[in-house]
Amino acid sequence: MNTSQATTPSNTVIHGDCVHVLPTLPSASVNFILTDPPYLVRYRARDGRTVPGDDNAAWLKPAFAQLHRVLKADGFCFSFYGWPHADRFMEAFRAAGFRPVGHFSFPKRYTSSVGHVRCQHECGYLLAKGNPTKPLEPLGDVIHWSDCTGNKLHPTQKPVSVLLPLIETYSAAQETVLDPFAGSGSSLMAAKLLGRSYIGIELDAKYHAIASRRLA
């Protein structure tokens, strides 16, 4: 497909593998990317639920290469990541053409899991394509995870409340927010609440249906 002639979908959740769907989107067609990709840790929730793509990294570099292509010049991409494989994520970010311009911590009031340590935070990178204009009021890089979703809709469900400030700060009203690993659609809900257009991509049919219902 000639991506220069493709049309950009709007306010939709696409069912499919982002590695295959992203090449169908036009270059430089979205304003901000906010995503929570698989952490490459073979995660299994207490109830047995798993995350598609979490057992391999074959998608990692191709996905971020496409994300860099579809993001408009001088735009931002925010990505959560799995710290046990921080090197692989950073390698993929840089190979795609992104550069890190911020690192965020999301401390929780509860323990997600217990191993060598009690896991009580999430983390993510703010990535830049080109040289985006600095926000008038930059966010602090610690955002408290005050709400607990209970992972009712997805095994790694993020609270809408921690996503809202990211979208509000690093995109503008009526711009388009993309999440290629949409899960239950929390990032898309946050975009909708803030008056942004949104495009979600989700591989798993069950979570695609959940996200579609939420946004409807």
Coordinates of all heavy atoms in Angstrom, one line a residue, residues 114-201:
V114 N 5.3 -9.6 44.2 CA 6.5 -9.8 45.2 C 7.5 -10.8 44.6 O 7.1 -11.9 44.3 CB 6.0 -10.2 46.6 CG1 7.2 -10.4 47.5 CG2 5.0 -9.3 47.1
G115 N 8.7 -10.3 44.5 CA 9.8 -11.2 44.1 C 11.0 -10.9 45.0 O 10.9 -11.0 46.2
H116 N 12.1 -10.5 44.4 CA 13.2 -10.0 45.2 C 12.9 -8.7 45.8 O 13.5 -8.3 46.8 CB 14.5 -9.9 44.3 CG 14.9 -11.2 43.7 ND1 15.5 -12.2 44.4 CD2 14.8 -11.6 42.4 CE1 15.8 -13.2 43.6 NE2 15.4 -12.9 42.4
V117 N 11.9 -8.0 45.3 CA 11.4 -6.7 45.9 C 9.9 -6.7 45.8 O 9.3 -7.5 45.1 CB 12.0 -5.5 45.2 CG1 13.5 -5.4 45.2 CG2 11.5 -5.4 43.7
R118 N 9.3 -5.8 46.5 CA 7.9 -5.6 46.4 C 7.7 -4.6 45.3 O 8.2 -3.4 45.4 CB 7.3 -5.1 47.7 CG 7.3 -6.2 48.8 CD 7.0 -5.6 50.2 NE 5.8 -4.8 50.2 CZ 5.5 -3.9 51.1 NH1 6.5 -3.5 51.9 NH2 4.4 -3.2 51.0
C119 N 7.0 -5.0 44.2 CA 6.8 -4.1 43.1 C 5.7 -3.1 43.3 O 4.6 -3.4 43.4 CB 6.5 -4.9 41.8 SG 7.9 -6.1 41.5
Q120 N 6.1 -1.8 43.4 CA 5.2 -0.7 43.8 C 5.2 0.5 42.8 O 4.8 1.6 43.2 CB 5.4 -0.3 45.2 CG 5.1 -1.4 46.2 CD 5.4 -1.0 47.7 OE1 6.3 -0.2 47.9 NE2 4.6 -1.4 48.6
H121 N 5.7 0.3 41.6 CA 5.7 1.4 40.7 C 5.7 0.9 39.3 O 6.1 -0.2 39.0 CB 6.9 2.4 40.9 CG 8.2 2.0 40.3 ND1 8.9 0.9 40.7 CD2 8.8 2.5 39.2 CE1 10.0 0.8 40.0 NE2 10.0 1.7 39.1
E122 N 5.3 1.8 38.3 CA 5.5 1.6 36.9 C 6.4 2.7 36.4 O 6.6 3.7 37.1 CB 4.1 1.6 36.2 CG 3.1 0.6 36.6 CD 3.3 -0.7 36.0 OE1 4.0 -0.8 34.9 OE2 2.7 -1.7 36.4
C123 N 6.9 2.5 35.2 CA 7.8 3.5 34.6 C 7.6 3.6 33.1 O 7.1 2.7 32.5 CB 9.2 3.2 35.0 SG 9.8 1.5 34.7
G124 N 8.0 4.7 32.6 CA 7.8 5.0 31.1 C 8.7 6.1 30.6 O 9.1 6.9 31.4
Y125 N 9.0 6.0 29.3 CA 9.8 7.0 28.7 C 9.0 8.0 27.9 O 8.0 7.6 27.2 CB 10.8 6.4 27.8 CG 12.1 5.9 28.5 CD1 12.3 4.6 28.7 CD2 13.1 6.9 28.8 CE1 13.5 4.2 29.4 CE2 14.2 6.5 29.5 CZ 14.4 5.1 29.7 OH 15.6 4.7 30.4
L126 N 9.3 9.3 27.9 CA 8.8 10.3 27.0 C 9.9 10.3 25.9 O 11.0 10.7 26.1 CB 8.6 11.6 27.6 CG 8.1 12.7 26.7 CD1 6.6 12.4 26.3 CD2 8.1 14.1 27.4
L127 N 9.5 10.1 24.7 CA 10.4 10.0 23.5 C 10.0 11.1 22.5 O 8.9 11.5 22.4 CB 10.2 8.7 22.8 CG 10.4 7.4 23.7 CD1 10.0 6.2 22.9 CD2 11.8 7.3 24.2
A128 N 11.0 11.6 21.9 CA 10.8 12.7 20.9 C 11.2 12.3 19.5 O 12.2 11.6 19.3 CB 11.6 14.0 21.3
K129 N 10.4 12.7 18.5 CA 10.8 12.7 17.1 C 11.2 14.1 16.7 O 10.4 15.0 16.8 CB 9.7 12.1 16.3 CG 9.9 12.1 14.8 CD 8.7 11.6 14.0 CE 9.0 11.7 12.5 NZ 7.9 11.1 11.7
G130 N 12.4 14.3 16.3 CA 12.8 15.6 15.9 C 13.0 16.5 17.2 O 13.6 16.0 18.2
N131 N 12.5 17.7 17.1 CA 12.7 18.7 18.2 C 11.4 19.3 18.6 O 11.1 20.4 18.2 CB 13.8 19.7 17.8 CG 15.1 19.2 17.7 OD1 15.8 18.8 18.6 ND2 15.6 19.0 16.4
P132 N 10.6 18.6 19.4 CA 9.3 19.2 19.7 C 9.5 20.4 20.6 O 10.4 20.6 21.3 CB 8.6 18.0 20.6 CG 9.4 16.8 20.3 CD 10.8 17.3 19.9
T133 N 8.5 21.3 20.5 CA 8.4 22.5 21.4 C 8.2 22.0 22.8 O 7.4 21.2 23.1 CB 7.3 23.4 20.9 OG1 7.6 23.8 19.6 CG2 7.3 24.7 21.8
K134 N 8.9 22.6 23.7 CA 8.7 22.3 25.1 C 7.4 22.8 25.6 O 7.0 23.9 25.3 CB 9.8 22.9 26.0 CG 11.2 22.3 25.7 CD 12.3 23.0 26.6 CE 13.7 22.4 26.3 NZ 14.7 23.0 27.1
P135 N 6.6 22.0 26.4 CA 5.4 22.5 26.9 C 5.5 23.7 27.8 O 6.5 23.9 28.4 CB 4.9 21.3 27.8 CG 5.7 20.1 27.3 CD 7.0 20.6 26.9
L136 N 4.5 24.5 27.8 CA 4.5 25.7 28.6 C 4.6 25.4 30.1 O 5.2 26.0 30.9 CB 3.3 26.6 28.4 CG 3.2 27.2 27.0 CD1 1.8 28.0 26.8 CD2 4.3 28.2 26.8
E137 N 3.9 24.2 30.5 CA 4.0 23.8 31.8 C 4.3 22.3 31.8 O 3.4 21.4 31.9 CB 2.6 24.0 32.5 CG 2.2 25.4 32.7 CD 0.9 25.6 33.4 OE1 0.5 24.7 34.1 OE2 0.4 26.7 33.4
P138 N 5.6 21.9 31.8 CA 6.0 20.5 31.7 C 5.6 19.8 33.0 O 5.5 20.3 34.0 CB 7.6 20.6 31.7 CG 7.9 22.0 31.2 CD 6.8 22.9 31.7
L139 N 5.2 18.5 32.7 CA 4.8 17.7 33.8 C 6.0 17.3 34.8 O 7.1 17.2 34.3 CB 4.3 16.3 33.3 CG 2.8 16.3 32.8 CD1 2.5 14.8 32.3 CD2 1.9 16.6 33.9
G140 N 5.7 17.2 36.0 CA 6.7 16.5 36.9 C 6.8 15.0 36.5 O 5.9 14.4 36.0
D141 N 8.0 14.5 36.7 CA 8.2 13.1 36.2 C 7.8 12.0 37.2 O 8.2 10.9 37.1 CB 9.7 12.9 35.7 CG 10.7 13.2 36.8 OD1 10.3 13.4 38.0 OD2 11.9 13.2 36.5
V142 N 7.1 12.4 38.3 CA 6.5 11.5 39.2 C 5.0 11.7 39.2 O 4.5 12.8 39.5 CB 7.0 11.6 40.6 CG1 6.3 10.7 41.6 CG2 8.5 11.3 40.6
I143 N 4.2 10.7 38.7 CA 2.8 10.8 38.7 C 2.2 9.7 39.6 O 2.4 8.5 39.4 CB 2.2 10.6 37.3 CG1 2.7 11.8 36.4 CG2 0.7 10.6 37.3 CD1 2.3 11.7 34.9
H144 N 1.5 10.1 40.7 CA 1.0 9.1 41.6 C -0.1 8.3 41.1 O -1.1 8.8 40.5 CB 0.7 9.8 43.0 CG 1.8 10.3 43.7 ND1 2.6 9.5 44.5 CD2 2.4 11.6 43.7 CE1 3.6 10.3 45.0 NE2 3.5 11.5 44.5
W145 N 0.0 7.0 41.2 CA -1.0 6.0 40.8 C -2.0 5.9 41.8 O -2.1 5.0 42.6 CB -0.2 4.7 40.6 CG -0.9 3.6 39.8 CD1 -1.9 2.8 40.2 CD2 -0.5 3.2 38.5 NE1 -2.2 1.9 39.2 CE2 -1.3 2.1 38.1 CE3 0.5 3.6 37.6 CZ2 -1.2 1.5 36.9 CZ3 0.6 3.0 36.4 CH2 -0.2 1.9 36.0
S146 N -2.9 6.9 41.9 CA -3.8 7.0 43.0 C -5.0 6.1 42.9 O -5.7 5.7 43.9 CB -4.3 8.4 43.2 OG -4.9 8.9 42.0
D147 N -5.4 5.7 41.6 CA -6.5 4.8 41.4 C -6.1 3.4 41.1 O -5.1 3.2 40.4 CB -7.3 5.3 40.2 CG -7.9 6.7 40.5 OD1 -8.2 7.0 41.7 OD2 -8.1 7.5 39.5
C148 N -6.8 2.4 41.6 CA -6.5 1.0 41.3 C -7.7 0.5 40.4 O -8.8 0.5 40.8 CB -6.4 0.2 42.6 SG -6.2 -1.5 42.4
T149 N -7.3 0.0 39.3 CA -8.3 -0.5 38.4 C -8.8 -1.9 38.8 O -9.9 -2.4 38.3 CB -7.8 -0.6 36.9 OG1 -6.8 -1.6 36.9 CG2 -7.3 0.7 36.5
G150 N -8.0 -2.6 39.6 CA -8.3 -4.0 39.9 C -8.1 -4.9 38.7 O -8.4 -6.1 38.7
N151 N -7.5 -4.4 37.6 CA -7.3 -5.1 36.3 C -8.6 -5.9 35.9 O -8.5 -7.0 35.4 CB -6.2 -6.1 36.5 CG -4.8 -5.4 36.7 OD1 -4.7 -4.3 36.2 ND2 -3.9 -6.0 37.4
K152 N -9.7 -5.2 36.1 CA -11.0 -5.9 35.8 C -11.2 -6.1 34.3 O -11.8 -7.1 33.9 CB -12.2 -5.1 36.3 CG -12.2 -4.9 37.9 CD -13.3 -4.0 38.4 CE -13.2 -3.9 39.9 NZ -14.3 -2.9 40.3
L153 N -10.7 -5.2 33.5 CA -10.9 -5.3 32.0 C -9.8 -5.9 31.3 O -9.9 -6.3 30.1 CB -11.3 -3.9 31.5 CG -12.5 -3.2 32.1 CD1 -12.7 -1.9 31.5 CD2 -13.8 -4.1 31.9
H154 N -8.6 -5.8 31.9 CA -7.3 -6.3 31.2 C -6.3 -6.6 32.3 O -6.3 -6.0 33.3 CB -6.8 -5.2 30.3 CG -5.7 -5.6 29.4 ND1 -4.4 -5.6 29.8 CD2 -5.7 -6.0 28.1 CE1 -3.6 -6.0 28.8 NE2 -4.4 -6.2 27.8
P155 N -5.5 -7.6 32.1 CA -4.5 -8.0 33.2 C -3.5 -7.0 33.5 O -2.9 -7.0 34.6 CB -3.9 -9.3 32.6 CG -4.1 -9.3 31.1 CD -5.4 -8.5 30.9
T156 N -3.3 -6.0 32.6 CA -2.3 -4.9 33.0 C -3.0 -3.5 32.8 O -2.4 -2.6 32.3 CB -1.0 -5.0 32.1 OG1 -1.4 -4.9 30.7 CG2 -0.3 -6.3 32.4
Q157 N -4.2 -3.4 33.2 CA -5.1 -2.2 32.9 C -4.5 -1.0 33.6 O -4.3 -1.0 34.8 CB -6.5 -2.5 33.3 CG -7.5 -1.3 33.0 CD -8.9 -1.7 33.5 OE1 -9.2 -2.8 33.8 NE2 -9.7 -0.7 33.6
K158 N -4.3 0.1 32.9 CA -3.8 1.3 33.5 C -5.0 2.2 33.8 O -6.0 2.3 33.1 CB -2.9 2.1 32.5 CG -1.7 1.3 32.0 CD -0.7 1.1 33.2 CE 0.6 0.4 32.8 NZ 0.4 -1.0 32.5
P159 N -4.9 3.0 34.9 CA -6.0 3.9 35.3 C -6.0 5.1 34.3 O -5.0 5.6 33.9 CB -5.6 4.4 36.7 CG -4.5 3.5 37.2 CD -3.8 3.0 35.9
V160 N -7.2 5.5 33.9 CA -7.3 6.6 33.0 C -6.7 7.9 33.7 O -6.1 8.7 33.0 CB -8.8 6.9 32.7 CG1 -9.0 8.2 32.0 CG2 -9.4 5.7 31.8
S161 N -6.8 8.0 35.0 CA -6.3 9.2 35.7 C -4.8 9.4 35.5 O -4.4 10.6 35.6 CB -6.7 9.1 37.2 OG -6.1 7.9 37.8
V162 N -4.0 8.4 35.3 CA -2.6 8.6 35.2 C -2.2 9.0 33.7 O -1.1 9.5 33.4 CB -1.7 7.5 35.7 CG1 -2.0 7.1 37.1 CG2 -1.8 6.2 34.8
L163 N -3.2 8.7 32.8 CA -2.9 8.9 31.4 C -3.4 10.3 31.0 O -2.8 10.9 30.0 CB -3.7 7.9 30.6 CG -3.4 6.4 30.9 CD1 -4.2 5.5 30.1 CD2 -1.9 6.1 30.8
L164 N -4.4 10.9 31.6 CA -4.9 12.2 31.3 C -3.8 13.3 31.3 O -3.8 14.0 30.3 CB -6.0 12.6 32.3 CG -7.4 11.8 32.1 CD1 -8.3 12.1 33.3 CD2 -8.1 12.2 30.8
P165 N -3.0 13.4 32.3 CA -2.0 14.5 32.2 C -1.0 14.4 31.1 O -0.5 15.4 30.6 CB -1.3 14.4 33.6 CG -1.6 13.1 34.1 CD -2.9 12.7 33.6
L166 N -0.7 13.1 30.7 CA 0.3 12.9 29.6 C -0.3 13.4 28.3 O 0.3 14.1 27.5 CB 0.6 11.4 29.5 CG 1.3 10.8 30.7 CD1 1.3 9.3 30.6 CD2 2.8 11.3 30.8
I167 N -1.6 13.1 28.1 CA -2.2 13.5 26.8 C -2.5 15.0 26.8 O -2.2 15.7 25.8 CB -3.6 12.8 26.6 CG1 -3.3 11.3 26.4 CG2 -4.4 13.4 25.5 CD1 -4.6 10.4 26.4
E168 N -2.9 15.5 28.0 CA -3.2 17.0 28.1 C -1.9 17.8 27.9 O -2.0 18.9 27.3 CB -3.7 17.3 29.5 CG -4.3 18.7 29.6 CD -5.1 18.9 30.9 OE1 -4.8 18.2 31.9 OE2 -6.0 19.7 30.8
T169 N -0.8 17.3 28.3 CA 0.5 18.1 28.3 C 1.2 18.0 26.9 O 1.7 18.9 26.4 CB 1.5 17.7 29.4 OG1 0.8 17.8 30.6 CG2 2.8 18.5 29.3
Y170 N 1.1 16.8 26.3 CA 2.0 16.5 25.1 C 1.2 16.4 23.8 O 1.7 16.0 22.8 CB 2.8 15.3 25.4 CG 3.7 15.5 26.5 CD1 3.6 14.8 27.8 CD2 4.8 16.4 26.5 CE1 4.4 15.1 28.8 CE2 5.6 16.7 27.5 CZ 5.4 16.0 28.7 OH 6.2 16.2 29.8
S171 N -0.1 16.8 23.9 CA -0.9 17.0 22.7 C -1.9 18.1 22.9 O -2.0 18.6 24.0 CB -1.7 15.7 22.3 OG -2.7 15.5 23.3
A172 N -2.5 18.6 21.8 CA -3.4 19.7 21.9 C -4.8 19.2 21.5 O -5.0 18.2 20.9 CB -3.0 20.8 20.9
A173 N -5.8 20.0 21.9 CA -7.2 19.7 21.6 C -7.4 19.4 20.1 O -6.8 20.1 19.3 CB -8.1 20.8 22.1
Q174 N -8.2 18.4 19.8 CA -8.6 18.0 18.5 C -7.5 17.4 17.7 O -7.6 17.0 16.5 CB -9.1 19.2 17.7 CG -10.4 19.9 18.3 CD -11.0 21.0 17.5 OE1 -10.3 21.6 16.7 NE2 -12.2 21.3 17.8
E175 N -6.3 17.2 18.3 CA -5.2 16.4 17.7 C -5.5 14.9 17.8 O -6.5 14.5 18.5 CB -3.9 16.8 18.3 CG -3.4 18.2 17.9 CD -2.0 18.4 18.3 OE1 -1.5 17.8 19.2 OE2 -1.4 19.3 17.7
T176 N -4.7 14.1 17.1 CA -5.0 12.6 17.1 C -4.0 11.9 18.0 O -2.7 12.1 17.8 CB -4.9 12.1 15.7 OG1 -5.9 12.8 14.9 CG2 -5.1 10.6 15.6
V177 N -4.5 11.1 18.9 CA -3.7 10.2 19.7 C -3.8 8.8 19.3 O -4.8 8.3 19.0 CB -4.2 10.3 21.2 CG1 -3.4 9.4 22.1 CG2 -4.1 11.8 21.7
L178 N -2.6 8.1 19.2 CA -2.5 6.7 18.7 C -2.1 5.8 19.8 O -1.1 6.2 20.6 CB -1.6 6.6 17.5 CG -1.1 5.2 17.1 CD1 -2.3 4.4 16.6 CD2 0.0 5.3 16.1
D179 N -2.7 4.7 20.0 CA -2.2 3.6 20.9 C -2.2 2.3 20.1 O -3.3 1.7 19.9 CB -3.1 3.5 22.2 CG -2.5 2.5 23.2 OD1 -1.6 1.8 22.8 OD2 -3.0 2.4 24.3
P180 N -1.1 1.8 19.7 CA -1.0 0.6 19.0 C -1.1 -0.7 19.8 O -1.2 -1.8 19.2 CB 0.4 0.7 18.3 CG 1.2 1.4 19.3 CD 0.3 2.4 19.9
F181 N -1.1 -0.6 21.1 CA -1.3 -1.7 22.0 C -2.5 -1.3 22.9 O -2.3 -1.1 24.1 CB 0.0 -2.0 22.8 CG 1.1 -2.4 21.9 CD1 2.1 -1.4 21.5 CD2 1.3 -3.7 21.4 CE1 3.1 -1.7 20.7 CE2 2.4 -4.0 20.6 CZ 3.3 -3.0 20.2
A182 N -3.7 -1.2 22.4 CA -4.7 -0.5 23.1 C -5.3 -1.2 24.3 O -5.9 -0.6 25.1 CB -5.8 -0.2 22.1
G183 N -5.2 -2.6 24.3 CA -5.7 -3.3 25.5 C -7.2 -3.0 25.7 O -8.0 -3.1 24.7
S184 N -7.6 -2.6 26.9 CA -9.0 -2.3 27.1 C -9.4 -0.9 26.8 O -10.5 -0.5 27.1 CB -9.3 -2.6 28.6 OG -8.6 -1.8 29.4
G185 N -8.5 -0.1 26.2 CA -8.8 1.2 25.7 C -8.7 2.4 26.6 O -9.2 3.4 26.4
S186 N -7.9 2.2 27.7 CA -7.8 3.3 28.7 C -7.2 4.6 28.1 O -7.7 5.7 28.4 CB -7.0 2.8 29.9 OG -7.7 1.8 30.6
S187 N -6.2 4.4 27.3 CA -5.6 5.6 26.7 C -6.5 6.3 25.7 O -6.5 7.5 25.6 CB -4.3 5.2 26.0 OG -4.5 4.3 25.0
L188 N -7.3 5.5 25.0 CA -8.3 6.1 24.1 C -9.4 6.8 24.8 O -9.9 7.8 24.4 CB -8.8 5.0 23.2 CG -7.8 4.1 22.6 CD1 -8.4 3.0 21.7 CD2 -6.8 4.9 21.7
M189 N -9.8 6.2 26.0 CA -10.8 6.9 26.8 C -10.3 8.2 27.3 O -11.0 9.2 27.3 CB -11.2 6.0 28.0 CG -12.1 4.9 27.7 SD -13.8 5.4 27.3 CE -14.2 6.3 28.7
A190 N -9.0 8.3 27.7 CA -8.4 9.5 28.2 C -8.4 10.5 27.1 O -8.7 11.7 27.3 CB -7.0 9.3 28.7
A191 N -8.0 10.1 25.9 CA -8.0 11.0 24.7 C -9.4 11.6 24.4 O -9.6 12.8 24.2 CB -7.5 10.3 23.5
K192 N -10.4 10.7 24.4 CA -11.8 11.1 24.2 C -12.2 12.1 25.2 O -12.9 13.1 24.8 CB -12.7 9.9 24.2 CG -14.1 10.2 23.8 CD -14.9 8.9 23.7 CE -16.4 9.2 23.3 NZ -17.2 8.0 23.2
L193 N -11.9 11.9 26.5 CA -12.4 12.8 27.5 C -11.7 14.2 27.4 O -12.3 15.2 27.8 CB -12.0 12.2 28.9 CG -12.8 11.0 29.4 CD1 -12.1 10.4 30.6 CD2 -14.2 11.4 29.7
L194 N -10.6 14.2 26.7 CA -9.9 15.5 26.6 C -10.1 16.2 25.2 O -9.4 17.1 24.8 CB -8.4 15.3 26.8 CG -7.9 15.0 28.2 CD1 -6.5 14.6 28.3 CD2 -8.2 16.3 29.1
G195 N -11.1 15.6 24.4 CA -11.4 16.2 23.1 C -10.4 15.9 22.0 O -10.4 16.7 21.1
R196 N -9.6 14.8 22.2 CA -8.7 14.4 21.1 C -9.4 13.4 20.3 O -10.3 12.6 20.7 CB -7.4 13.9 21.7 CG -6.3 14.8 22.0 CD -6.7 15.8 23.1 NE -5.5 16.5 23.6 CZ -5.6 17.5 24.5 NH1 -6.8 18.0 24.9 NH2 -4.5 18.1 24.9
S197 N -9.0 13.3 19.0 CA -9.4 12.1 18.2 C -8.4 11.0 18.6 O -7.4 11.2 19.2 CB -9.2 12.4 16.7 OG -10.1 13.4 16.3
Y198 N -8.8 9.7 18.3 CA -8.0 8.6 18.7 C -8.0 7.5 17.7 O -9.0 7.3 17.0 CB -8.5 8.1 20.1 CG -9.9 7.6 20.1 CD1 -10.3 6.3 19.7 CD2 -10.9 8.4 20.5 CE1 -11.6 5.9 19.7 CE2 -12.3 8.0 20.5 CZ -12.6 6.7 20.1 OH -13.9 6.3 20.1
I199 N -6.9 6.7 17.7 CA -6.8 5.5 16.9 C -6.2 4.5 17.8 O -5.1 4.7 18.4 CB -5.9 5.7 15.7 CG1 -6.4 6.9 14.8 CG2 -5.9 4.4 14.8 CD1 -5.3 7.2 13.7
G200 N -6.9 3.4 18.0 CA -6.4 2.2 18.8 C -6.2 1.0 17.9 O -6.9 0.8 16.9
I201 N -5.2 0.2 18.2 CA -5.0 -1.1 17.5 C -4.8 -2.1 18.6 O -4.1 -1.9 19.6 CB -3.7 -1.1 16.7 CG1 -3.8 0.1 15.7 CG2 -3.5 -2.4 15.9 CD1 -2.4 0.3 14.9

